[in-house]
Amino acid sequence: LEPQYTGTAPRLSDKKRPVFQPPEGCALSDVAKTMKELEEAEAERNVALHDELNRQRRLLKLDGRHKDRYADLEEWIKLKDIYLNTKEDVRSVGEAQLQLTLMSAYETESSDVQKGSVVDLQKVGEELVREKYERSEEVQARETFVTSKFEEFSSLAAKKRAVLEDDLAREVYRADVRVKAVGHKNRYNKISAWVAEKEKYLRTEEKIDNTTEAQLQVALLGQYNKESKGYYSSQVVSLVKVGDDIRAAKYESDLSSWTYENPEELNQDEADLEAKFKTLNELHDAKKPVLDDHLARELHKDRLRIQDKGHKELHASLDAWYGETAAYLKARPEIDSVPEAQLQLSGYANYEAEKAMVTETSVAQLKSDGAALLADVYKTEYSEYSWEDPEGIASREGDVDSKWAELDQLAATLKVDLDAALAREQEKERLRLKWTDVAGSFKRWAAERGSEALAAIFGYSLQEVEAFEATLKNIEATTAAQSSQKTSEYEALWAEMEKIGIKENAYCSDRPEDLKAASDGMEAASHARHSDYYKELEKQRSDDAKCKEFADLINSFSEWLSAQKDAIGGGNASMEDQLAKIEALRSEKDAHGQKLGPIKDHEAKLEEAGITQNRHTSLQYKDVEVQWEGFLMLLDKKAEMLKELIELSKLRGVTQEEWDEFNANFGKFDKDSDDKISSKEFKALMYSVGEELSKAQAAEVMENHGDGQAMTKQGYLEYMVQLAGDSDTKENVLDGFALLNNYEGVCKRDNLERVMPADDVEFIYGTIPEKEGGHDYEAWTEEVFSR
């Protein structure tokens, strides 16, 4: 733009036309001012772009944190999805209680995760959406997935808990029925043993050789018959009743059902006993006629002695049962779980049922037999006899009464101990579950605080880092208070567990030292964050000082360059004065160029320190280096341009190309190289360039610019300058029109009137054709030069 403007002035001067005055706001100084404003706006925009870059980096880190939280939740959801959709095969009371306990632990863990990790995920997501993060839809999709899974888990957990509670009820019911089945089997074995013993007796053939012996055998058979019937009615009938209860037992609910698995075994045992008692009856019926033959020899006394013997045997049997039962009631097996305590209480209930049965049958029979024996008095007119040892019967029956009273005392004590053991184990279970919840919650809290500390972002500028100090102090104070509170809570709970005697915890292996280790890890991360913050603060302040020092150097140099550009912009100075100013600057370029060295050294220090942003300046060494190189190029080009313009002014409108062409043409026709051409050579030269002169015209030129016979090179050049400089070429005219009309492609009257006389404007507008937006100066120029 400047060369065109500078070249226009001498041309207008040569044509004796008014000096060109650019429109308001279009002067070179105005253009330079506008360029400077553009550069300043560009610098401000650069700062804004850096701020936006920092924001995007922060959002990317927040998005990464959101994805990490989501990945942890997704993994947790996968595990819990499998758990909630799995139906456990529960086959015992203990296993059912364990599954219910695990269900409670899941519900607690789910609540903690929703209050902790899910809330944290949502907070990060809210910030990303609030900041209009470009991937907000992905963030919201992740959160929607997590929310939907927790809603689904709530329904699955409710269904699973109902199933597990049904499993527990069914297994408690089944355990009670199985205890009865074991009792049924034990009683079957005892009855079978009794039958075997009696069958052996019935199959024995006694050798009787006196009346006393015969009477004794009849009495024994009668005693057996009575005992067999009583035993059948007391033992076999009650066994069948227990079997009926077991076979009829059925657990039924909407979720499951159960009946005893082996009713065939019960049926087989009972049928076996019926067959055995049938065999005993057949053996008895075969033995009795044989002994009846000897009844006359049976004496009343012998019969009573037989009864007394049965009384003693029954007492011995009861005494043996007492010994076994007393040993059970005195024993205190180790109980270390709720199922074990419940099993012992179930065994105690079986004891009470068995004692009631023995009291109603064997004890009642003992007393009934004793009373019958005492009441059975033989009396005839010749003799009288009653049982000679009533004290023995009374002693045996009194012994049973005292031992039964002792059993009641032992049973009452055992019941109290078992109830206390159950309560103790239930409290242990409660403490175990509470510890599992507290320990898991503390470790998750410590891990989250540690992760937050390690992932802390202090800021990307000195102002942001300084502002973070208050936030850091608040975080550290809050964390310390929460840590103290949580530590006191788990230490108190552990002391309570130790006091009650808890040695193992199936739900959680963590101990206080494990929680202390988690706390230490969190504190280490917090200390590291604290140290890193103050290191970063010190670094930011140091970096900012370096940036300020660099900005002072580079801004000063850049401003000097801008001032020098303005100084050589031209203004009203002559081309010669402008050239002198430029040559002075060119001679001093090495001295001024040395100013780049300190700037480059300071920038190297900034790069070495890892500093990529400078709030004090948007310039870099490369910028001023390019400015300096551009400035030097400007000096060289403008110096060259001014020199050419000065030369052009001397040529009075002839271009350098035309001047060179003039010289070359002259050389072609100066055959002897004496810098002279003849009239004939001159005419041939002019013909070669398209100018055909008559002899008269050639002679006139030779007279005016030579000696009439020959023309020197200087004379030829003066003629050609006069000839070519008096009128512009078509291209020069087009360039002038374009310049005057601001290169808009059309000619406007007011643009011409600012620099051309009114007559010239009227001449042009008398023939110039119209064109959209103005007039067509290109068509007008073509028409003029074609004339």
Side-chain angles (χ1 to χ4, degrees), residues 110 120 142 174-175 219 225 230 239 262 272 274 314 426 434 443 452 464 482 504-505 513 532 543 588 597 706 751 767:
S110 177
D120 184 53
R142 291 194 290 268
R174 177 159 60 181
N225 193 37
L239 179 74
N262 299 313
D272 181 58
E274 288 295 334
L314 186 54
Q426 289 174 337
K434 185 176 181 181
K443 292 180 74 175
E452 291 171 359
E464 291 180 357
Q482 291 177 345
E504 295 181 355
N505 189 345
E513 48 266 30
D532 291 344
D543 290 350
E588 297 170 356
N751 290 335
T767 56

Side-chain angles (χ1 to χ4, degrees), residues 445 449 468-485 522-523 526-527 529-530:
W445 174 81
R449 298 294 83 75
F468 187 78
E469 185 172 17
T471 301
L472 178 63
K473 290 180 179 179
N474 181 56
I475 291 173
E476 290 176 345
T478 301
T479 303
Q482 291 177 345
S483 178
S484 176
Q485 178 186 353
M522 176 194 68
E523 291 180 1
S526 179
H527 291 326
R529 175 181 58 192
H530 186 91

Side-chain angles (χ1 to χ4, degrees), residues 220 304-314 373 387:
L220 288 175
L304 293 183
R305 285 176 178 169
I306 292 172
Q307 292 178 1
D308 181 62
K309 182 176 181 293
H311 194 274
K312 289 179 180 178
E313 289 176 350
L314 186 54
L373 194 152
W387 180 241

